[in-house]
Amino acid sequence: MGDLKIYNSFTRAKEKFTPIKPPHVGLYVCGPTVYSDVHLGNCRTFISFDMVYRYLSHLDYKVRYVRNITDAGHLENDADEGEDKISKKARLEKLEPMEIVQKYSLSFHKILEKFNNIPPSIEPTATGHIVEQIDMIQDIISKGYGYEVNGSVYFDVEKFDKNIGYGKLSGRQLDDMISGTRSLDGQSEKRNPLDFALWKKAGPQHIMQWNSPWSKGFPGWHLECSVMSSKYLGDSFDIHGGGMDLKFPHHECEIAQCHVAHDKDPVKYWMHGNMLTLNGAKMSKSTGNTLLPDELFEGNNEFFDKGFEPFVVRFFIMQAHYRSTLDFSSDALEASDKGLQRLITAYHNMSSVKVAEASEVDVKALEAKCYEAMNDDLNTPLTISYLFEGVKWINSALADKLKLTAVDLVGIKKIIDTFLIEIMGVNFLENGAEASDNSKESELVELLIKLRKEAKESKNWGLADSIRNELSEMQILLKDGKDGTTWSK
Ligand code: AMP
Ligand code: ZN
């Protein structure tokens, strides 16, 4: 199958993936701030990492996948001043902040379920880890990298830069960063405008607040991810993911906090997904340049009158490499839909192919090419192009222009089942997200029974027997009766 290579944003190179403690893999992905419905851009990132999770699991790694919910501490403009995004929404909607959190966590889960995402192994919340966050701040202060001013605590970026180095992930130099910052209101508390908050004293407006040794307040936005990733995956873990826009300052700050607390870089492989753009600009809640998944599913948007199935939108996302930008346009989605429908038709028509005795294709080589593409930094668009080679074979065989054996057909079906349905999560089968291994198995057995019947009709007794024998080796027994063949395990 070859080795998996992953592009590591930290080293800016594709590297062979070697887990710290195989067969275990720790995967952390920054989750949503639950103050509004997730847009298609957010979903792209979560779908990309769902694919990563699925592929690692397919390779038999025992993956612990942690994706947090940010339900406190994330302020407007991603800065250290201003209102908490959740409290603000609560004020506007006249609800409790936790009602906002509940409402948008539920809608987030519902949307990801429609996209056939597998839930993470652990989904911790910032508010559920206030105690651990306070512990980490105390640790950072005791090591000399945190300082308190008026009940708030800040991280000393300059000191960290001097002793360890700040900005490695994003490739930024401290001096350039300093000259690029304007002094903002309230930043006067900081020794350096680049310092970031570990704890903020709550103003009178701020409803979400907790006791701490420094003040009644709330944790800084970057802290929760440092705390929850190390709590559930250890001080060093394998993969940390998120959208490209989180590299700076969020991930840079995560690295600094963890490095001080645990005396080492926390992450072996950093993975960043690229942005979904709309009309050429980043899809973003704050600029209003958004498209919501439900608007697309229901055909209620400026692009289309008709709706698209979630699996079609997922396929559209998988047709771009996760590190490339993807621009949403009606033409691009229509083209994906057309391609996918062609693939689905061929998949269902496979049972109408007249089986040949000798093969004219190399299915094993096709499968190997799919693994090679996935192993090359999860190249889903290339893998999909190989699936279309299989589609071409099926269509040629249907037109009697190519010979496919029963084994070829089973092999092509397995490739589509494995790469498109299982790994990319594009489940176009009728029973949708529920399509279990069981139903896949019975479809396969039914297909083989049909092929065996055809083999018998064309007096190919050897093939008919070999299908029966191979199935029996897999503990699947065929029984021929007057109404046809039935099977049992
Ligand atoms: P947020 O709730 O804003 O923290 O975003 C949740 C996730 O969505 C983060 O990993 C972001 O990087 C990601 N994200 C935000 N906008 C986009 C976009 N336009 N395309 C892809 N990912 C995005
Ligand atoms: Zn994070």
Side-chain angles (χ1 to χ4, degrees), residues 28 30-31 68 221 225 240 246 250-251 254:
Y28 186 90
C30 294
N68 67 306
W221 170 40
C225 288
H240 191 315
L246 295 185
H250 184 57
H251 291 159
E254 274 188 47

Side-chain angles (χ1 to χ4, degrees), residues 30-33 35 39 41-42 44-46 74 85 221 242-246 274-277 282-284:
C30 294
T33 305
Y35 72 107
H39 56 65
N42 303 129
R44 181 188 184 195
T45 293
F46 298 124
H74 195 170
K85 293 188 187 204
W221 170 40
M244 209 78 108
D245 55 341
L246 295 185
N274 215 324
M275 296 293 106
L276 182 76
T277 58
K282 179 188 167 189
M283 190 173 284
S284 158

